[in-house]
Amino acid sequence: MTTASIPAAGGRRRQPTKLRRAVRRNVTAYGFLCGALICFAFFSWYPMVREVILSFQKTNFVDPPKWVGLENFRTVVNDPAFGPAWVNTAVFTMLALLCGYGIPFVTAIVLNELRHARAYLRFVVYLPVMLPPAVSVLLFQWFYNPDYGLFNQVLDLFHLPGLQWLNSTSTALISLVIVSTWMNMGSGTLIYLAALQTIPSELYEAAELDGAGLFKRIWHVTIPQTKLILLVMLLLQIVATMQVFIEPYLLTGGGPENATVSVVYLMYQYAFNFGNLNAGNALGLMLMIVLMVFSAIYLRVSRDNTV
């Protein structure tokens, strides 16, 4: 009787042993995965879900919240600054894309072609990124000063009239674009430079043997070989520039005449100056939907082109 029960008892012991071994083998991976999921859930997903809920509520965080449907959205849409905020954000994004996307790529190509002082020039290009954004913005506030600013002094050297950089509706937004481009140029340049250095030199040598000049080498070798990183940087830059805030917040306060008010700045105004946090959440939800739709379309189009 005892010999017949031994295999059954042994068989029962083997199953938990295999399971235990599998858990031990993967417990580290599951631990890292759970940590990442908890961080994402707490710091990214929960704020987004909370924003969606708050955009349909009216609350002061003391009394119980009240569901108000689309009232917060109507409040935001009827604001006179709503239209200019979206227009300014779109124009800022296009201008920042023209300057902040092309200039770092060209700079990276030039640095990649240099044979001397390459490390020093990389440091110089990356230096603005190491400055805190607020410091960079306040530095440009001095540059833009119409009385003693650096830019008007340069114009004066060429006997040109000075400009009201931040006080004129025609120059205020482009002034913010210049600040943004200067602050972010270093990181973009280094990313492009890293991508350029992965291109095999044999491709350039073959192009030179075929008689290709500099621009043909860039068009037929550099751009195709860095196409993936260019597409990724394009998406990241558009998403980042559409959330412009610190430049109008510190330099212009949205003025003059709402010429530099952006969507995120208007969101800040509702949340912290107008005392209407729910309307700010409604505006944030609109911006999030716009960025999600744009990202989905962009990824679909770029995937079709890269396959």
Side-chain angles (χ1 to χ4, degrees), residues 214-242:
L214 175 63
F215 293 106
K216 283 190 176 179
R217 292 203 303 274
I218 293 173
W219 183 256
H220 293 290
V221 178
T222 304
I223 292 178
Q225 291 294 317
T226 56
K227 185 177 180 181
L228 182 60
I229 193 68
L230 288 174
L231 291 173
V232 172
M233 288 294 291
L234 180 64
L235 174 63
L236 294 178
Q237 193 150 1
I238 291 175
V239 172
T241 51
M242 286 198 71

Side-chain angles (χ1 to χ4, degrees), residues 6-59:
I6 289 174
R12 280 189 221 106
R13 289 192 194 101
R14 282 193 198 101
Q15 285 186 348
T17 303
K18 287 182 180 176
L19 179 62
R20 208 174 298 131
R21 286 177 181 171
V23 171
R24 283 179 185 168
R25 189 169 56 247
N26 299 313
V27 67
T28 305
Y30 289 138
F32 282 115
L33 180 62
C34 289
L37 287 175
I38 290 171
C39 287
F40 270 110
F42 188 75
F43 293 107
S44 295
W45 299 333
Y46 172 72
M48 284 194 290
V49 174
R50 186 71 174 149
E51 179 187 30
V52 173
I53 295 173
L54 286 174
S55 63
F56 293 97
Q57 291 180 336
K58 184 68 75 179
T59 178

Side-chain angles (χ1 to χ4, degrees), residues 50 54 57-66 68 72 275-278:
R50 186 71 174 149
L54 286 174
Q57 291 180 336
K58 184 68 75 179
T59 178
N60 55 10
F61 298 103
V62 177
D63 301 322
K66 178 184 174 184
V68 293
N72 293 321
N276 194 344
L277 183 63
N278 301 100

